[in-house]
Amino acid sequence: NGSALSDGDLKAGAFPSDPRNPMDRGVIGAKGGVWSDFVLAFPAGNKPANLTFDDPSIVVGEEVNGAYTITAAGAAAQDLWFAVDFSDEAPPAGSYQLSVTAV
């Protein structure tokens, strides 16, 4: 929509666009650097084998149906970069949609 982002609104910048890549990088941003917990969800059948954030204060919770609850209250940056490793069994899907939702 055309409305401006408010502090704490989340947006995905670059993100892993194809699970056929063995490893990829992505970034999630929070307007104004105001962070709360959020859910990072990968489509069914495309969940990563490993998800790691560069910022050591970020805690990746358990995966449920391709969705990870991320504890980000301690983050100090406006953008959080992460690495994703996909397993060798990842299906040969093209690009897909990654969703980010504040909790």
Side-chain angles (χ1 to χ4, degrees), residues 18-73:
D18 191 335
R20 292 175 290 189
N21 294 331
M23 182 189 169
D24 217 335
R25 304 250 321 139
V27 63
I28 305 297
K31 173 86 163 71
V34 179
W35 288 99
S36 62
D37 295 351
F38 62 92
V39 174
L40 180 59
F42 293 82
N46 288 310
K47 72 177 184 176
N50 188 34
L51 172 63
T52 308
F53 281 82
D54 293 359
D55 183 333
S57 71
I58 306 306
V59 177
V60 177
E62 301 256 345
E63 177 269 334
V64 177
N65 296 325
Y68 298 81
T69 299
I70 311 297
T71 303

